[in-house]
Amino acid sequence: MSHSKNSNFHLLMFPWFAFGHMTPFLHLSNRLAERGYSSTFLLPIKAIQHLQHLNLYPHLITFHPLAVPHVEGLPEGTQTASDIPIQFTSLLAAAMDRTRDQVERVIRDTKPKLIIYDAAHWVPEITKAFGIKAINYSVVSAASIAIVLVPARNVPKDKPITEAELLVPPTGYPSSTVVLRGHEVRSLLFISQPFGEGITFYERIYKAMKESDALAIRTCNETEGKFCEYIGSQYGKPVFLTGPMLPEPPKTPLEDRWVKWLSGFQPGSVVFCAFGSQIVLEKNQFQELVLGLELTGLPFLVALKPPMGAATVEEALPKGFEARVKGRGVVWGGWVQQLMILEHPSVGCFVSHCGFGSMWESLMSDCRAVLIPHLGDQILNTRFMAEELKVAVEVVRDEKAWFSKEDLSKSIKSVMDKGSEMGSMLKENHRKWREMLNKGLMTSYVDKFIQNMHELVN
Ligand SMILES: O=c1ccn([C@@H]2O[C@H](COP(=O)(O)OP(=O)(O)O[C@H]3O[C@H](CO)[C@@H](O)[C@H](O)[C@H]3O)[C@@H](O)[C@H]2O)c(=O)[nH]1
C-alpha cells in the first residue's frame, strides 16, 4: 500500500505515563514509521532511556521529554507508574495534567496532523482550538472497556459505585460470559475513585473518549468485534482497530541455561508458568502453586517474583520441595525470555495470569493455556479465552480468590493428558484461531488504520 502524503503526515503520540501504555504506543509508532510516517513521542524524561532501544526508526520517531512536575504527596522524582505503589497513581495523573502547557507548546511547534492519546482527557480541548484531530487509543482489551467505561454504565456522580451495581453489566453489553462474578467486581471499585485532581477514573476516561474525534483499540475484529461495535455505538464514534501491536520478535537467542535445561525433556511436555510484570503472590498461595505443579508429575519451569515478605523465591519454597522436584522442576525468581520459552519445542503448557500481552503470546503459541487471572482486565481476558474462544481452561478459585494445588494440577492435566477430550477440543480451537490471527492479518490492520487516519483528517 502506498501513501503519497505520508511524508508530511506528522503524528503526536501521548500515552499515559506507564510502560504498559508507552510500549504499545511505541510499537504503533514503529509500524507507522515502517510505512514512512513520522511522529513526535511525548515521554517523561526518565522513560526515554528505558524505551530508546524499542525505537526502531529513530530518524522518524522523535522522543520529546516532558518534565513531570512534582505534586504534593508524590514521592520525589516520580515520573512513571512503575516508580510508585498503585495507591499513588491518582497523584501521578495530577502530575500528568500539569504537563498541559508543555504539551500545548509541542502542538504549536510541531503542528501534527493528528494526536493519539489516552489518559489526558484535556487533549481534545487543545486540538479543537488548533483544528487538529485527536484519536483516543485504548491499549487494554475491548471487553474491559465495554464493561465499565461506556455511558450505559451509569456511574453515580455523587457517591462511590457499589459492588451490587458493578455486578450488572451495562445495558446492551454484548456477552453473558465475558463478565466478572461475585467478589471479582471488587477489582473495579476504583473507577469511581479520584484519578487526578477533582476527577474520578471513570470521568477522566469517559471524557477522554467522548471528546475525541475517533476511538482506536488495540485489538482485532475477528476476536473482539462485537465489543468494539458496542463501544462505538455507545460513544457515537468511529472505532479504528490496530490489531494487538505485538513487539517484533526479539533477535537475541534464548539463554543457554534454558536451552540446555529444556532440551532434556520430551517435545511438548514442560509446563511453563509466569505472571507478568506486576503480580506478587502471598507466600502461602505461592507455595500452593508450586505444590500444584509438583502434583502434576510433569516437568515445569516457574518464573515468578518472590512472594510477599520474601527476598528470594528459594527461601519461600515449601519444605523438602527442591529435593523432591530436583531434575524436573525449576522455580526462578528473575526475568526470563517468555516469548522464546513459549516457542521452545519442549514446552507444551503455559500457566499464565492472562495479562493482555501474555494472552496474545499464548494465543499465538502452540502451548495449551491454563489461566489464573488476578486483576480485573485479566479476569475478562481469561473468560474470553476460556468461554468465548474456547482455547483455554481457567483454574477454579474460591470466594477469597484462593486456588488449591489440586485444582491447579487438575486443570493442567485436563489439557495435557493424552486422550483428554477437553485437551483435544481446546487444541483444535486454538489451532484454528492461531491460523486465522496470522502475520498477514496483523499487517492488514496497520494498513487499514492508516487508511482510517487519512479519512479522518481529510
Ligand atoms: O519473566 C517474564 C515475564 C514477562 N515477560 C513479558 O512481559 C510481558 C508481560 O505483559 P502482560 O502479559 O501484559 O503482563 P503485565 O505486564 O503484568 O500486564 C499489565 O499490563 C497489561 C496491559 O498491557 C494488563 O492486561 C495487565 O492486567 C497488567 O498486569 C509479556 O510480553 C511477557 O512475554 C517476560 O518476557 N518475562
Side-chain angles (χ1 to χ4, degrees):
M1 197 172 188
S2 84
H3 297 280
S4 49
K5 287 184 240 156
N6 56 8
S7 56
N8 59 16
F9 198 115
H10 187 73
L11 291 110
L12 188 65
M13 309 292 277
F14 185 30
W16 165 236
F17 299 159
F19 287 99
H21 292 242
M22 298 185 279
T23 315
F25 267 68
L26 184 51
H27 294 324
L28 178 59
S29 267
N30 279 327
R31 299 291 150 81
L32 298 175
E34 198 180 6
R35 290 154 172 84
Y37 291 83
S38 61
S39 52
T40 297
F41 205 106
L42 301 176
L43 286 171
I45 297 169
K46 225 161 66 180
I48 290 184
Q49 73 209 53
H50 293 292
L51 291 174
Q52 207 91 62
H53 70 288
L54 294 178
N55 182 351
L56 307 178
Y57 299 87
H59 61 292
L60 287 173
I61 304 171
T62 310
F63 286 164
H64 182 98
L66 289 177
V68 181
H70 179 68
V71 169
E72 208 186 310
L74 204 55
E76 204 62 53
T78 302
Q79 296 192 13
T80 71
S82 37
D83 296 335
I84 45 172
I86 201 140
Q87 63 270 26
F88 285 107
T89 348
S90 170
L91 294 173
L92 182 61
M96 178 187 225
D97 294 343
R98 293 188 201 173
T99 64
R100 183 171 172 155
D101 286 354
Q102 298 175 60
V103 175
E104 200 159 343
R105 213 169 309 133
V106 177
I107 294 177
R108 196 172 313 125
D109 294 347
T110 57
K111 299 194 184 58
K113 267 267 193 297
L114 62 80
I115 298 194
I116 303 184
Y117 69 105
D118 53 4
H121 57 291
W122 36 265
V123 160
E125 285 169 24
I126 307 176
T127 50
K128 280 184 184 130
F130 283 95
I132 295 168
K133 301 284 186 204
I135 299 181
N136 183 276
Y137 185 33
S138 298
V139 298
V140 292
S141 63
S144 51
I145 300 286
I147 203 162
V148 273
L149 294 170
V150 291
R153 171 42 81 192
N154 279 331
V155 178
K157 281 218 166 357
D158 38 4
K159 58 179 177 46
I161 194 161
T162 63
E163 287 184 31
E165 284 166 326
L166 280 167
L167 269 174
V168 186
T171 310
Y173 179 74
S175 172
S176 55
T177 50
V178 185
V179 291
L180 300 182
R181 303 180 191 126
H183 63 90
E184 292 166 355
V185 296
R186 261 174 243 156
S187 65
L188 298 181
L189 287 171
F190 78 93
I191 65 165
S192 59
Q193 285 163 8
F195 200 77
E197 227 169 313
I199 190 161
T200 65
F201 183 83
Y202 176 83
E203 286 164 347
R204 171 183 280 266
I205 305 301
Y206 170 78
K207 188 161 184 222
M209 293 176 79
K210 186 74 195 162
E211 299 302 319
S212 70
D213 295 295
L215 302 172
I217 311 178
R218 183 191 176 195
T219 191
C220 293
N221 213 9
E222 289 71 10
T223 53
E224 290 201 288
K226 62 183 178 189
F227 297 101
C228 300
E229 223 169 272
Y230 177 64
I231 295 168
S233 71
Q234 279 283 308
Y235 282 96
K237 306 266 172 205
V239 176
F240 307 157
L241 306 184
T242 63
M245 280 299 131
L246 302 174
E248 293 293 321
K251 295 200 170 60
T252 40
L254 180 59
E255 273 184 82
D256 215 29
R257 76 169 109 223
W258 302 126
V259 176
K260 279 205 187 105
W261 189 79
L262 288 169
S263 62
F265 302 100
Q266 293 293 318
S269 67
V270 177
V271 182
F272 170 60
C273 170
F275 286 168
S277 60
Q278 295 182 319
I279 287 157
V280 175
L281 296 174
E282 302 263 1
K283 187 168 163 193
N284 54 359
Q285 186 67 91
F286 171 86
Q287 294 193 332
E288 192 78 4
L289 174 102
V290 297
L291 290 171
L293 286 160
E294 180 186 357
L295 210 54
T296 62
L298 296 165
F300 61 87
L301 166 58
V302 177
L304 284 185
K305 290 175 188 291
M308 289 175 197
T312 64
V313 286
E314 289 76 19
E315 74 176 62
L317 292 172
K319 236 191 171 141
F321 176 84
E322 274 177 290
R324 293 196 303 273
V325 302
K326 196 162 191 286
R328 76 160 169 107
V330 175
V331 182
W332 184 256
W335 189 259
V336 293
Q337 295 148 288
Q338 178 167 301
L339 254 184
M340 322 288 294
I341 288 179
L342 291 175
E343 277 172 12
H344 194 284
S346 298
V347 178
C349 177
F350 181 26
V351 179
S352 94
H353 68 315
C354 213
F356 190 82
S358 297
M359 178 186 93
W360 276 99
E361 286 164 20
S362 179
L363 254 180
M364 306 303 240
S365 86
D366 237 342
C367 300
R368 314 288 172 93
V370 173
L371 306 175
I372 315 181
H374 292 75
L375 308 174
D377 80 310
Q378 299 163 5
I379 301 174
L380 292 165
N381 295 344
T382 295
R383 301 280 143 82
F384 183 67
M385 292 274 281
E387 300 187 29
E388 295 251 330
L389 303 188
K390 296 195 168 49
V391 296
V393 290
E394 177 177 358
V395 177
V396 177
R397 306 181 92 167
D398 70 12
E399 262 300 297
K400 294 201 177 83
W402 169 265
F403 60 90
S404 71
K405 54 180 185 288
E406 290 83 9
D407 281 328
L408 172 58
S409 163
K410 211 162 70 191
S411 296
I412 295 174
K413 286 171 131 176
S414 78
V415 298
M416 290 292 274
D417 278 354
K418 294 209 169 57
S420 141
E421 234 175 80
M422 175 75 148
S424 321
M425 188 268 286
L426 297 178
K427 188 178 177 188
E428 182 50 22
N429 286 338
H430 193 161
R431 187 189 57 76
K432 280 192 211 142
W433 280 105
R434 198 174 44 242
E435 279 173 16
M436 189 194 301
L437 302 168
N438 55 35
K439 218 171 167 207
L441 183 77
M442 300 307 157
T443 308
S444 72
Y445 272 103
V446 181
D447 290 336
K448 185 79 207 301
F449 183 73
I450 289 176
Q451 198 185 323
N452 291 148
M453 290 194 314
H454 279 276
E455 283 163 9
L456 185 70
V457 301
N458 283 333

